[in-house]
């Protein structure tokens, strides 16, 4: 693919701001900028999808609402993208930024403007995912503002591929390996950022607390520059002297290798109507 000089500079300039997508989760000086692949890893119910919604909203919100105003591709392999939840978070963030100065019609227009920066692709097999990634290069060349790709999830076809590959491990991992090779080329040539969720393998759940454990193929593991290990715990919420019903606190342990050596950071958040609330 070829692109004009103007498109090249627009694309490279637009990707600089991806560094700032969430400084509270990544170690200092190891932000998830151009060329990064961030894996959100954990068991079901540990906040991975809510984290993806947070990154998505941060990317497509306008500058005056604390966003980056970027175009985003959301590849939904689990068919679990909840547009009502996404709109609710956007509406809360925009309302908080505008205060009482925005009318309902203006608020709706601002939400629509955010959604217009989102492209959604659905994939029901690893083969469809591979085809989608093949077409992504043309999209990136023609749309310089597309700086972020979200994949929910990278492990969606792990078991179907294992069943379809027979006794050959190479056959079982063939499509995901090819997807990883394509992603490596896109990360290198187009300097995008990729955030992908990965469900922990229940057969290895005893190792789920290990930030180095992964059950996906080696080419995928070699792409990871940041790993967010997600977990959940129940806590008793108190308000004044009264104890409220138990809620959840979600913890994130980030391991980054983007700077050549490992760096770590821990973060915690609750999930509210307006998205993540860091604690």
């Amino acid at each position: 693919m070829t692109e004009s000089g103007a498109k090249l500079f627009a694309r490279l300039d637009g990707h600089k701001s991806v560094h700032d997508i969430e400084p509270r989760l990544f170690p200092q000086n190891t932000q998830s900028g151009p060329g990064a692949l961030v894996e959100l890893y954990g068991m079901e119910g540990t906040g991975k999808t809510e984290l993806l919604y947070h990154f998505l909203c941060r990317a497509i919100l306008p500058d005056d609402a604390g966003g980056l105003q970027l175009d985003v591709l959301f590849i939904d392999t689990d068919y679990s993208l909840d547009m009502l939840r996404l709109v609710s978070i956007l509406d809360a963030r925009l309302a908080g930024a505008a205060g009482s100065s925005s009318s309902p019609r203006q608020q709706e227009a601002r939400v629509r403007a955010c959604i217009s920066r989102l492209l959604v692709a659905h994939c029901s097999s690893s083969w469809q995912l591979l085809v989608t990634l093949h077409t992504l290069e043309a999209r990136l060349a023609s749309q310089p503002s597309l700086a972020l790709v979200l994949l929910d999830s990278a492990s969606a076809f792990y078991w179907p591929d294992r069943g379809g590959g027979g006794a050959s491990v190479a056959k079982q991992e063939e499509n995901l390996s090819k997807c990883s090779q394509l992603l490596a080329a896109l990360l290198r040539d187009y300097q995008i950022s990729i955030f992908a969720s990965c469900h922990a393998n229940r057969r290895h759940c005893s190792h789920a607390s290990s930030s180095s454990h992964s059950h996906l193929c080696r080419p995928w593991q070699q792409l990871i520059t940041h790993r967010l290990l997600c977990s959940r715990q129940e806590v008793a919420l108190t308000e004044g002297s009264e104890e409220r019903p138990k809620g959840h606190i979600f913890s994130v342990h980030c391991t980054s290798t983007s700077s050549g050596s490992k760096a770590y950071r821990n973060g915690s958040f609750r999930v509210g109507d307006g998205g993540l609330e860091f604690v």
Side-chain angles (χ1 to χ4, degrees):
M1 301 299 296
T2 59
E3 60 182 332
S4 67
K7 286 184 176 180
L8 172 65
F9 284 116
R11 174 165 56 82
L12 295 179
D13 181 65
H15 291 178
K16 291 179 183 177
S17 59
V18 180
H19 283 288
D20 305 320
I21 195 163
E22 188 42 77
R24 290 169 289 188
L25 288 177
F26 298 96
Q28 192 174 10
N29 301 322
T30 63
Q31 296 301 297
S32 52
L37 190 146
V38 180
E39 184 186 70
L40 287 64
Y41 184 85
M43 300 296 288
E44 184 179 354
T46 54
K48 300 185 300 296
T49 298
E50 285 290 339
L51 265 176
L52 280 182
Y53 289 166
H54 177 71
F55 293 132
L56 172 55
C57 291
R58 282 275 294 153
I60 63 178
L61 280 166
D63 296 337
D64 61 3
L68 305 175
Q69 205 161 325
L70 299 172
D71 289 353
V72 176
L73 170 63
F74 193 105
I75 303 177
D76 186 8
T77 59
D78 284 334
Y79 283 74
S80 59
L81 177 60
D82 187 344
M83 288 301 297
L84 290 178
R85 173 63 177 159
L86 179 60
V87 169
S88 174
I89 298 172
L90 289 170
D91 190 55
R93 297 285 178 86
L94 290 168
S100 59
S101 62
S102 179
S103 68
R105 181 170 295 182
Q106 290 173 325
Q107 181 77 354
E108 181 181 349
R110 283 166 61 81
V111 171
R112 288 181 179 274
C114 291
I115 295 296
S116 70
R117 289 189 278 272
L118 171 63
L119 177 68
V120 179
H122 294 285
C123 300
S124 58
S125 68
S126 57
W127 174 251
Q128 284 191 4
L129 177 60
L130 183 60
V131 171
T132 298
L133 295 178
H134 266 294
T135 64
L136 182 54
E137 184 175 11
R139 171 73 66 170
L140 290 169
S142 63
Q143 191 174 346
S145 58
L146 180 56
L148 179 62
V149 175
L150 303 178
L151 173 58
D152 192 20
S153 68
S155 57
F157 312 119
Y158 175 78
W159 290 111
D161 285 351
R162 286 202 64 177
S168 170
V169 175
K171 277 289 186 183
Q172 294 171 9
E173 298 181 342
E174 182 178 11
N175 284 345
L176 184 57
S177 294
K178 290 180 178 179
C179 288
S180 301
Q181 292 164 10
L182 276 174
L183 288 174
L186 294 173
L187 286 166
R188 181 189 66 242
D189 297 340
Y190 289 90
Q191 290 294 288
I192 58 174
S193 296
I194 299 172
F195 288 63
S197 67
C198 178
H199 302 310
N201 188 337
R202 290 188 177 274
R203 288 193 177 182
H204 304 284
C205 61
S206 61
H207 302 287
S209 61
S210 170
S211 62
S212 63
H213 174 73
S214 180
H215 59 282
L216 299 185
C217 64
R218 185 171 297 276
W220 171 265
Q221 294 180 47
Q222 292 173 338
L223 289 179
I224 298 170
T225 59
H226 303 73
R227 191 162 221 239
L228 302 181
L229 185 64
C230 303
S231 59
R232 182 187 70 181
Q233 64 182 83
E234 288 191 355
V235 295
L237 303 177
T238 57
E239 185 173 341
S241 59
E242 296 183 3
E243 184 173 293
R244 295 161 54 194
K246 287 186 176 181
H248 294 116
I249 292 289
F250 299 89
S251 299
V252 180
H253 176 72
C254 178
T255 302
S256 171
T257 57
S258 61
S259 59
S261 60
K262 286 190 176 182
Y264 306 94
R265 185 164 185 178
N266 294 318
S268 299
F269 63 86
R270 294 189 179 94
V271 175
D273 293 339
L276 303 194
E277 301 170 0
F278 286 92
V279 296

